[in-house]
Amino acid sequence: MIEFKNVSKVYDSNGVHALDHVSLKINKGEFVFIVGASGAGKSTFLKLIMHEETPTSGVIVVNDMHLEKMKRRKVPYLRRTMGIVFQDFRLISKMTVYENVAFAMRCVGRKNDSIKKRVPYILELVGLADKADDHPSELSGGEQQRVSLARALVNNPELIIADEPTGNIDPEMSYEIIELLSEINKRGTTVLVVTHEHELVKSFGKRVITIDDGRVVSDSDDDQFVAI
Amino acid sequence: MSSFGYLVKEGFKNLFHNRLMSLASIGVLISCLVLTGSAVMLTINVSNIVDSVGDTNVTKVFLDDDLTKLEAVYKGKELKDVDNVVDVQFIDKDESIEAYREQLGEEVFANMTGDDNPLPYSYSVVMEDLSKYDDTVAKIKEVEGVASVSSHREVAAKLTSLSSFITTMSLWIILALAVISLFIISNTIRMTMFSHRFEISIMKSVGATNAFVRVPFIIEGIIIGLVSAAVSIGLLFVLSDAIINSVQKILDFPYTRFTDPTVMWPVIGAFAAAGVLVGAFGSMVSIRRYLTHEGSEILGW
Ligand SMILES: Nc1ncnc2c1ncn2[C@@H]1O[C@H](COP(=O)(O)OP(=O)(O)OP(=O)(O)O)[C@@H](O)[C@H]1O
Ligand SMILES: [Mg+2]
């Protein structure tokens, strides 16, 4: 599902080696936490998976697609296989909760009929059915992140990527968000979460990959870990 | 709402959101189109006039003012003897004044008959071989008592060169205006895209194709183009009618008007096409940048 072989990333603008010969494999249906200090390269790792950045060297395979040589016009179809959740929610403030979620379906050309069926179902799933007509500014941080999660889920992706999804919300809400992600994972979606909150990571007992200074320094799933 | 309906609506919203820039784009594009239309109308009418007068192979010879009618009539023989002249026809002063009155319909000429007639006696001369035109005119001018020679050919040539001068000038101005309107439209769209960069980054992150991201902005450009085309057509109609009406008072001629279907439909078609092209092209130029950039680069975070 996700495979990195000897992947390095050097940012051209400043020559920073954000990732250094990273090799790892994440299988379909796994739930993985990515942890590490600030500047370790966690976000870079996720950006490579969503083809927001391209690797300087190495091979990346995501959902059976080779990313290192992917044509620009293929990228949208890669993105459709994944749902992305950001720390800052990135909801459109002029749109209601419902419209924000429906927007993701419109963007991939889904018909009105299926939007009308699918969006209420997803909002129900994240527990926001009664907030459908509210605007993001009327919601708490936890609720906004659930809208963002609903948007990531609505096109039925194989993979959810979340970069510090709990970074802007209070601890109890954080727990709820991860629990929701874990619920989604149980239905078969692969989940990748970058976080700083070690307590949270411990309490869920999932696979944990630690990145330090651009290298994978530990992986709780020993079979998969390839030390460099 | 279908996703396409949604995009069209977004295009309109963008247009309104940026109304000052939109108006500037529309204004420049209108001046460009109206000028183009005017140049076309001018060319058509001048070439009509040239065609109708140019092929009457007649040269007018004006005699000296102080010639009596008898002397004038005798000049006919001399003129006919000039090489290449096949026929001459005497034109009385009163006939000339009458011709003016008919053409111009002015009552001013009414009491300029008899001794008060300011026009000289004249002849219309028909030549056999028009390729010897200049030679023949020179010889006619040598005849004593001939004041001047004028031909429709000269008038036609002057009109044609004037109109081609005006057309060339307009072509340059039109070209400059077209470049300016492309520039303004692409900047208008760039501004809209900038104010929508957040939505664009989300669209790309959920897997919208570049074609899809483009659509509202191209529609915005096309709306600018079509609105400009529509206003230009209206303006051209009003403007050309007013100009033709006032020119008609000086020179009566069956002018081709904008409402002539052989003019109106091609012009409407061309304007609509030009509007769509300029609008679409103008927006395409500015969209590129956003489509080659990703997520946080678009947002500038
Ligand atoms: N677009 C960029 N251009 C240049 N350098 C970058 C860019 N993005 C990240 N970097 C650098 O690459 C390194 C890794 O950054 P990255 O954002 O992946 O870290 P991170 O682990 O996500 O950190 P944090 O926990 O603070 O979010 C850092 O040194 C950072 O300065
Ligand atoms: Mg980060």
Side-chain angles (χ1 to χ4, degrees), chain A residues 194-207:
Chain A
V194 165
T195 184
H196 275 128
E197 293 170 64
H198 292 280
E199 292 306 315
L200 209 62
V201 172
K202 265 185 226 153
S203 67
F204 277 89
K206 308 280 190 187
R207 178 178 171 189

Side-chain angles (χ1 to χ4, degrees), chain A residues 3-8 18-24 45 57-59 211 214-216 228:
Chain A
E3 187 166 14
F4 275 51
K5 284 184 203 153
N6 254 327
V7 173
S8 294
L19 286 183
D20 190 9
H21 296 89
V22 168
S23 294
L24 57 77
F45 175 64
S57 64
V59 173
I211 300 182
R215 291 162 180 265
V216 174
I228 310 286

Side-chain angles (χ1 to χ4, degrees), chain B residues 174-249:
Chain B
I174 288 162
L175 208 70
L177 285 174
V179 171
I180 293 170
S181 56
L182 264 180
F183 179 77
I184 296 187
I185 288 177
S186 78
N187 269 295
T188 307
I189 310 273
R190 206 191 303 276
M191 275 176 65
T192 330
M193 300 206 71
F194 183 76
S195 60
H196 286 266
R197 64 195 183 285
F198 183 70
E199 284 93 332
I200 293 173
S201 86
I202 289 168
M203 289 169 100
K204 294 186 76 168
S205 78
V206 299
T209 58
N210 284 348
F212 185 90
V213 176
R214 251 184 207 131
V215 175
F217 303 101
I218 292 181
I219 288 178
E220 184 189 351
I222 290 177
I223 293 170
I224 289 177
L226 285 178
V227 167
S228 310
V231 175
S232 304
I233 288 163
L235 271 177
L236 191 60
F237 169 71
V238 174
L239 214 71
S240 68
D241 238 30
I243 292 175
I244 289 176
N245 285 342
S246 62
V247 172
Q248 194 136 44
K249 287 188 190 130

Side-chain angles (χ1 to χ4, degrees), chain A residues 37-44 46-47 87 163-164 194 196:
Chain A
S38 183
K42 308 181 293 295
S43 296
T44 302
L46 295 191
K47 282 178 182 169
Q87 176 174 356
D163 196 350
E164 298 186 40
V194 165
H196 275 128

Side-chain angles (χ1 to χ4, degrees), chain B residues 154-176:
Chain B
E154 275 173 13
V155 176
K158 274 187 189 138
L159 266 178
T160 311
S161 77
L162 182 70
S163 114
S164 78
F165 173 75
I166 293 174
T167 312
T168 320
M169 284 295 290
S170 340
L171 256 172
W172 286 109
I173 298 171
I174 288 162
L175 208 70

